[in-house]
Amino acid sequence: VQLVESGGGSVEVGGSLTLSCVASGSTISRHCMARFRQGPGKEREGVAAIYTGGGATYYADSVKGRFTISQDNPGTTLLLHMNSLKPEDTAMYYCAAVERSYCGGSWRIESTYNTWGQGTQVTVS
């Protein structure tokens, strides 16, 4: 599977953006799919994840209640809806995937995933 990302951009504080991650080459019907981000001078961190086979979702505390991860066109597209954006949300956002039967507690660990998108920049100011 290959992941192609879009939807990043610049937005004012308190604004909203939706990031899209489209899978090609294979469906993502039984995958743990996640969004990671890496801000300036920071390590890459897990933001949210979804198990595409059942819909279970996972969020970092820093985005809980503001971000929503979901599927569109099940099996092909992952969405991250971001609301009430803050300057600290500024980062390069990456889509990641691994075929497995669950996400679980390892969802926020980079080495869990074997497929990554190219990243899309989000700037909040």
mmCIF file of all heavy atoms in Angstrom, residues 81-113:
data_model
loop_
_atom_site.group_PDB
_atom_site.id
_atom_site.type_symbol
_atom_site.label_atom_id
_atom_site.label_comp_id
_atom_site.label_asym_id
_atom_site.label_seq_id
_atom_site.Cartn_x
_atom_site.Cartn_y
_atom_site.Cartn_z
ATOM 1 N N HIS A 81 -9.811 15.348 11.189
ATOM 2 C CA HIS A 81 -10.464 16.635 11.340
ATOM 3 C C HIS A 81 -9.863 17.320 12.561
ATOM 4 O O HIS A 81 -9.899 16.779 13.661
ATOM 5 C CB HIS A 81 -11.973 16.457 11.540
ATOM 6 C CG HIS A 81 -12.646 15.691 10.453
ATOM 7 N ND1 HIS A 81 -12.989 16.249 9.245
ATOM 8 C CD2 HIS A 81 -13.038 14.390 10.403
ATOM 9 C CE1 HIS A 81 -13.578 15.335 8.491
ATOM 10 N NE2 HIS A 81 -13.615 14.194 9.168
ATOM 11 N N MET A 82 -9.327 18.529 12.341
ATOM 12 C CA MET A 82 -8.657 19.256 13.413
ATOM 13 C C MET A 82 -9.400 20.561 13.670
ATOM 14 O O MET A 82 -9.517 21.391 12.766
ATOM 15 C CB MET A 82 -7.198 19.529 13.036
ATOM 16 C CG MET A 82 -6.432 18.274 12.641
ATOM 17 S SD MET A 82 -4.686 18.586 12.328
ATOM 18 C CE MET A 82 -4.802 19.633 10.890
ATOM 19 N N ASN A 83 -9.895 20.721 14.879
ATOM 20 C CA ASN A 83 -10.620 21.923 15.282
ATOM 21 C C ASN A 83 -9.890 22.629 16.417
ATOM 22 O O ASN A 83 -9.031 22.034 17.081
ATOM 23 C CB ASN A 83 -12.040 21.552 15.730
ATOM 24 C CG ASN A 83 -12.864 20.939 14.625
ATOM 25 O OD1 ASN A 83 -12.853 21.410 13.495
ATOM 26 N ND2 ASN A 83 -13.580 19.877 14.946
ATOM 27 N N SER A 84 -10.269 23.864 16.650
ATOM 28 C CA SER A 84 -9.688 24.656 17.751
ATOM 29 C C SER A 84 -8.166 24.578 17.740
ATOM 30 O O SER A 84 -7.527 24.325 18.763
ATOM 31 C CB SER A 84 -10.234 24.165 19.104
ATOM 32 O OG SER A 84 -11.646 24.236 19.128
ATOM 33 N N LEU A 85 -7.595 24.813 16.577
ATOM 34 C CA LEU A 85 -6.154 24.650 16.420
ATOM 35 C C LEU A 85 -5.379 25.680 17.231
ATOM 36 O O LEU A 85 -5.807 26.835 17.380
ATOM 37 C CB LEU A 85 -5.782 24.728 14.942
ATOM 38 C CG LEU A 85 -6.112 23.442 14.157
ATOM 39 C CD1 LEU A 85 -6.152 23.722 12.662
ATOM 40 C CD2 LEU A 85 -5.111 22.357 14.476
ATOM 41 N N LYS A 86 -4.236 25.232 17.745
ATOM 42 C CA LYS A 86 -3.364 26.050 18.580
ATOM 43 C C LYS A 86 -1.992 26.175 17.916
ATOM 44 O O LYS A 86 -1.624 25.320 17.101
ATOM 45 C CB LYS A 86 -3.197 25.385 19.946
ATOM 46 C CG LYS A 86 -4.487 25.080 20.670
ATOM 47 C CD LYS A 86 -4.210 24.309 21.955
ATOM 48 C CE LYS A 86 -5.494 23.978 22.687
ATOM 49 N NZ LYS A 86 -5.230 23.236 23.958
ATOM 50 N N PRO A 87 -1.228 27.182 18.280
ATOM 51 C CA PRO A 87 0.123 27.300 17.704
ATOM 52 C C PRO A 87 0.965 26.040 17.925
ATOM 53 O O PRO A 87 1.770 25.683 17.051
ATOM 54 C CB PRO A 87 0.708 28.503 18.444
ATOM 55 C CG PRO A 87 -0.482 29.330 18.794
ATOM 56 C CD PRO A 87 -1.569 28.342 19.124
ATOM 57 N N GLU A 88 0.770 25.378 19.041
ATOM 58 C CA GLU A 88 1.553 24.165 19.321
ATOM 59 C C GLU A 88 1.160 22.979 18.453
ATOM 60 O O GLU A 88 1.813 21.944 18.478
ATOM 61 C CB GLU A 88 1.461 23.770 20.796
ATOM 62 C CG GLU A 88 0.051 23.687 21.351
ATOM 63 C CD GLU A 88 -0.366 24.975 22.047
ATOM 64 O OE1 GLU A 88 -0.093 26.080 21.524
ATOM 65 O OE2 GLU A 88 -1.005 24.859 23.131
ATOM 66 N N ASP A 89 0.093 23.123 17.650
ATOM 67 C CA ASP A 89 -0.267 22.092 16.677
ATOM 68 C C ASP A 89 0.541 22.233 15.388
ATOM 69 O O ASP A 89 0.450 21.360 14.508
ATOM 70 C CB ASP A 89 -1.756 22.157 16.346
ATOM 71 C CG ASP A 89 -2.640 21.827 17.537
ATOM 72 O OD1 ASP A 89 -2.317 20.878 18.271
ATOM 73 O OD2 ASP A 89 -3.661 22.534 17.727
ATOM 74 N N THR A 90 1.316 23.309 15.273
ATOM 75 C CA THR A 90 2.151 23.502 14.092
ATOM 76 C C THR A 90 3.162 22.371 13.980
ATOM 77 O O THR A 90 3.922 22.104 14.916
ATOM 78 C CB THR A 90 2.887 24.848 14.172
ATOM 79 O OG1 THR A 90 1.930 25.906 14.105
ATOM 80 C CG2 THR A 90 3.886 24.998 13.029
ATOM 81 N N ALA A 91 3.148 21.693 12.831
ATOM 82 C CA ALA A 91 4.018 20.523 12.651
ATOM 83 C C ALA A 91 3.864 19.984 11.245
ATOM 84 O O ALA A 91 2.926 20.333 10.522
ATOM 85 C CB ALA A 91 3.648 19.422 13.651
ATOM 86 N N MET A 92 4.791 19.084 10.885
ATOM 87 C CA MET A 92 4.597 18.243 9.714
ATOM 88 C C MET A 92 3.814 17.027 10.181
ATOM 89 O O MET A 92 4.212 16.367 11.153
ATOM 90 C CB MET A 92 5.950 17.819 9.132
ATOM 91 C CG MET A 92 5.836 16.987 7.868
ATOM 92 S SD MET A 92 5.277 17.961 6.461
ATOM 93 C CE MET A 92 6.810 18.784 6.022
ATOM 94 N N TYR A 93 2.702 16.769 9.516
ATOM 95 C CA TYR A 93 1.842 15.652 9.877
ATOM 96 C C TYR A 93 2.036 14.498 8.895
ATOM 97 O O TYR A 93 2.042 14.715 7.675
ATOM 98 C CB TYR A 93 0.378 16.097 9.877
ATOM 99 C CG TYR A 93 0.010 16.903 11.093
ATOM 100 C CD1 TYR A 93 0.478 18.203 11.249
ATOM 101 C CD2 TYR A 93 -0.784 16.367 12.101
ATOM 102 C CE1 TYR A 93 0.160 18.951 12.380
ATOM 103 C CE2 TYR A 93 -1.116 17.111 13.232
ATOM 104 C CZ TYR A 93 -0.642 18.396 13.366
ATOM 105 O OH TYR A 93 -0.966 19.131 14.485
ATOM 106 N N TYR A 94 2.174 13.292 9.441
ATOM 107 C CA TYR A 94 2.411 12.101 8.638
ATOM 108 C C TYR A 94 1.306 11.073 8.853
ATOM 109 O O TYR A 94 0.827 10.901 9.975
ATOM 110 C CB TYR A 94 3.749 11.454 9.024
ATOM 111 C CG TYR A 94 4.944 12.321 8.785
ATOM 112 C CD1 TYR A 94 5.419 13.178 9.770
ATOM 113 C CD2 TYR A 94 5.613 12.298 7.564
ATOM 114 C CE1 TYR A 94 6.522 13.975 9.554
ATOM 115 C CE2 TYR A 94 6.727 13.095 7.335
ATOM 116 C CZ TYR A 94 7.168 13.944 8.336
ATOM 117 O OH TYR A 94 8.267 14.736 8.113
ATOM 118 N N CYS A 95 0.973 10.375 7.791
ATOM 119 C CA CYS A 95 0.061 9.257 7.839
ATOM 120 C C CYS A 95 0.889 7.977 7.897
ATOM 121 O O CYS A 95 1.925 7.885 7.229
ATOM 122 C CB CYS A 95 -0.808 9.275 6.578
ATOM 123 S SG CYS A 95 -2.042 8.005 6.489
ATOM 124 N N ALA A 96 0.434 7.002 8.679
ATOM 125 C CA ALA A 96 1.170 5.744 8.814
ATOM 126 C C ALA A 96 0.197 4.583 8.847
ATOM 127 O O ALA A 96 -0.939 4.738 9.315
ATOM 128 C CB ALA A 96 2.018 5.766 10.078
ATOM 129 N N ALA A 97 0.658 3.421 8.389
ATOM 130 C CA ALA A 97 -0.221 2.255 8.320
ATOM 131 C C ALA A 97 0.550 0.967 8.582
ATOM 132 O O ALA A 97 1.733 0.857 8.257
ATOM 133 C CB ALA A 97 -0.880 2.176 6.940
ATOM 134 N N VAL A 98 -0.169 0.024 9.161
ATOM 135 C CA VAL A 98 0.360 -1.333 9.291
ATOM 136 C C VAL A 98 -0.822 -2.289 9.251
ATOM 137 O O VAL A 98 -1.877 -2.023 9.868
ATOM 138 C CB VAL A 98 1.178 -1.510 10.584
ATOM 139 C CG1 VAL A 98 0.345 -1.280 11.829
ATOM 140 C CG2 VAL A 98 1.823 -2.893 10.618
ATOM 141 N N GLU A 99 -0.702 -3.377 8.518
ATOM 142 C CA GLU A 99 -1.770 -4.373 8.463
ATOM 143 C C GLU A 99 -1.640 -5.287 9.670
ATOM 144 O O GLU A 99 -0.620 -5.937 9.870
ATOM 145 C CB GLU A 99 -1.695 -5.194 7.179
ATOM 146 C CG GLU A 99 -2.874 -6.151 7.017
ATOM 147 C CD GLU A 99 -2.885 -6.848 5.680
ATOM 148 O OE1 GLU A 99 -1.888 -6.743 4.940
ATOM 149 O OE2 GLU A 99 -3.895 -7.498 5.364
ATOM 150 N N ARG A 100 -2.687 -5.286 10.475
ATOM 151 C CA ARG A 100 -2.718 -6.118 11.675
ATOM 152 C C ARG A 100 -4.151 -6.195 12.157
ATOM 153 O O ARG A 100 -5.028 -5.545 11.607
ATOM 154 C CB ARG A 100 -1.797 -5.556 12.758
ATOM 155 C CG ARG A 100 -2.182 -4.208 13.282
ATOM 156 C CD ARG A 100 -1.083 -3.541 14.094
ATOM 157 N NE ARG A 100 -0.674 -4.297 15.266
ATOM 158 C CZ ARG A 100 0.214 -3.837 16.142
ATOM 159 N NH1 ARG A 100 0.804 -2.655 15.966
ATOM 160 N NH2 ARG A 100 0.562 -4.565 17.183
ATOM 161 N N SER A 101 -4.410 -6.944 13.211
ATOM 162 C CA SER A 101 -5.792 -7.177 13.655
ATOM 163 C C SER A 101 -6.227 -6.233 14.772
ATOM 164 O O SER A 101 -7.325 -6.366 15.311
ATOM 165 C CB SER A 101 -5.948 -8.620 14.125
ATOM 166 O OG SER A 101 -5.035 -8.901 15.161
ATOM 167 N N TYR A 102 -5.383 -5.269 15.127
ATOM 168 C CA TYR A 102 -5.723 -4.330 16.192
ATOM 169 C C TYR A 102 -4.748 -3.159 16.145
ATOM 170 O O TYR A 102 -3.753 -3.200 15.437
ATOM 171 C CB TYR A 102 -5.645 -5.016 17.555
ATOM 172 C CG TYR A 102 -4.243 -5.442 17.916
ATOM 173 C CD1 TYR A 102 -3.433 -4.658 18.744
ATOM 174 C CD2 TYR A 102 -3.711 -6.617 17.395
ATOM 175 C CE1 TYR A 102 -2.139 -5.037 19.034
ATOM 176 C CE2 TYR A 102 -2.411 -6.990 17.687
ATOM 177 C CZ TYR A 102 -1.634 -6.210 18.512
ATOM 178 O OH TYR A 102 -0.361 -6.591 18.788
ATOM 179 N N CYS A 103 -5.054 -2.102 16.935
ATOM 180 C CA CYS A 103 -4.071 -1.043 17.165
ATOM 181 C C CYS A 103 -3.430 -1.220 18.531
ATOM 182 O O CYS A 103 -2.235 -1.413 18.645
ATOM 183 C CB CYS A 103 -4.725 0.341 17.065
ATOM 184 S SG CYS A 103 -4.990 0.946 15.396
ATOM 185 N N GLY A 104 -4.255 -1.115 19.570
ATOM 186 C CA GLY A 104 -3.753 -1.325 20.920
ATOM 187 C C GLY A 104 -2.821 -0.226 21.388
ATOM 188 O O GLY A 104 -2.687 0.829 20.770
ATOM 189 N N GLY A 105 -2.177 -0.514 22.503
ATOM 190 C CA GLY A 105 -1.332 0.489 23.130
ATOM 191 C C GLY A 105 -0.115 0.884 22.337
ATOM 192 O O GLY A 105 0.495 1.926 22.607
ATOM 193 N N SER A 106 0.245 0.087 21.343
ATOM 194 C CA SER A 106 1.426 0.418 20.547
ATOM 195 C C SER A 106 1.120 1.411 19.439
ATOM 196 O O SER A 106 1.994 1.717 18.636
ATOM 197 C CB SER A 106 2.031 -0.856 19.956
ATOM 198 O OG SER A 106 1.098 -1.501 19.107
ATOM 199 N N TRP A 107 -0.077 1.933 19.387
ATOM 200 C CA TRP A 107 -0.461 2.793 18.271
ATOM 201 C C TRP A 107 0.413 4.033 18.176
ATOM 202 O O TRP A 107 0.595 4.581 17.104
ATOM 203 C CB TRP A 107 -1.932 3.210 18.375
ATOM 204 C CG TRP A 107 -2.231 4.254 19.421
ATOM 205 C CD1 TRP A 107 -2.634 4.042 20.695
ATOM 206 C CD2 TRP A 107 -2.140 5.675 19.279
ATOM 207 N NE1 TRP A 107 -2.796 5.230 21.357
ATOM 208 C CE2 TRP A 107 -2.511 6.247 20.518
ATOM 209 C CE3 TRP A 107 -1.786 6.520 18.215
ATOM 210 C CZ2 TRP A 107 -2.529 7.631 20.715
ATOM 211 C CZ3 TRP A 107 -1.815 7.895 18.417
ATOM 212 C CH2 TRP A 107 -2.184 8.436 19.665
ATOM 213 N N ARG A 108 0.940 4.483 19.291
ATOM 214 C CA ARG A 108 1.712 5.724 19.267
ATOM 215 C C ARG A 108 3.211 5.488 19.082
ATOM 216 O O ARG A 108 3.996 6.446 19.161
ATOM 217 C CB ARG A 108 1.466 6.530 20.537
ATOM 218 C CG ARG A 108 1.902 5.838 21.807
ATOM 219 C CD ARG A 108 1.633 6.704 23.028
ATOM 220 N NE ARG A 108 0.224 6.725 23.382
ATOM 221 C CZ ARG A 108 -0.455 7.823 23.705
ATOM 222 N NH1 ARG A 108 0.126 9.006 23.659
ATOM 223 N NH2 ARG A 108 -1.719 7.747 24.056
ATOM 224 N N ILE A 109 3.637 4.273 18.812
ATOM 225 C CA ILE A 109 5.047 3.942 18.625
ATOM 226 C C ILE A 109 5.356 3.893 17.130
ATOM 227 O O ILE A 109 4.721 3.148 16.382
ATOM 228 C CB ILE A 109 5.386 2.598 19.284
ATOM 229 C CG1 ILE A 109 5.083 2.670 20.788
ATOM 230 C CG2 ILE A 109 6.835 2.231 19.038
ATOM 231 C CD1 ILE A 109 5.236 1.350 21.506
ATOM 232 N N GLU A 110 6.340 4.667 16.693
ATOM 233 C CA GLU A 110 6.656 4.758 15.263
ATOM 234 C C GLU A 110 6.979 3.418 14.627
ATOM 235 O O GLU A 110 6.558 3.139 13.511
ATOM 236 C CB GLU A 110 7.847 5.698 15.059
ATOM 237 C CG GLU A 110 7.554 7.157 15.255
ATOM 238 C CD GLU A 110 8.764 8.005 14.933
ATOM 239 O OE1 GLU A 110 9.159 8.039 13.757
ATOM 240 O OE2 GLU A 110 9.308 8.628 15.861
ATOM 241 N N SER A 111 7.719 2.593 15.337
ATOM 242 C CA SER A 111 8.170 1.323 14.756
ATOM 243 C C SER A 111 7.043 0.325 14.558
ATOM 244 O O SER A 111 7.241 -0.713 13.933
ATOM 245 C CB SER A 111 9.263 0.711 15.628
ATOM 246 O OG SER A 111 8.788 0.476 16.941
ATOM 247 N N THR A 112 5.853 0.633 15.060
ATOM 248 C CA THR A 112 4.680 -0.217 14.821
ATOM 249 C C THR A 112 4.323 -0.243 13.340
ATOM 250 O O THR A 112 3.807 -1.232 12.841
ATOM 251 C CB THR A 112 3.486 0.296 15.651
ATOM 252 O OG1 THR A 112 3.787 0.171 17.042
ATOM 253 C CG2 THR A 112 2.208 -0.455 15.340
ATOM 254 N N TYR A 113 4.616 0.841 12.634
ATOM 255 C CA TYR A 113 4.118 1.051 11.265
ATOM 256 C C TYR A 113 5.196 0.759 10.235
ATOM 257 O O TYR A 113 6.364 1.076 10.439
ATOM 258 C CB TYR A 113 3.594 2.477 11.133
ATOM 259 C CG TYR A 113 2.537 2.774 12.168
ATOM 260 C CD1 TYR A 113 2.876 3.296 13.408
ATOM 261 C CD2 TYR A 113 1.204 2.473 11.924
ATOM 262 C CE1 TYR A 113 1.911 3.516 14.379
ATOM 263 C CE2 TYR A 113 0.232 2.700 12.881
ATOM 264 C CZ TYR A 113 0.590 3.220 14.105
ATOM 265 O OH TYR A 113 -0.363 3.426 15.060
#
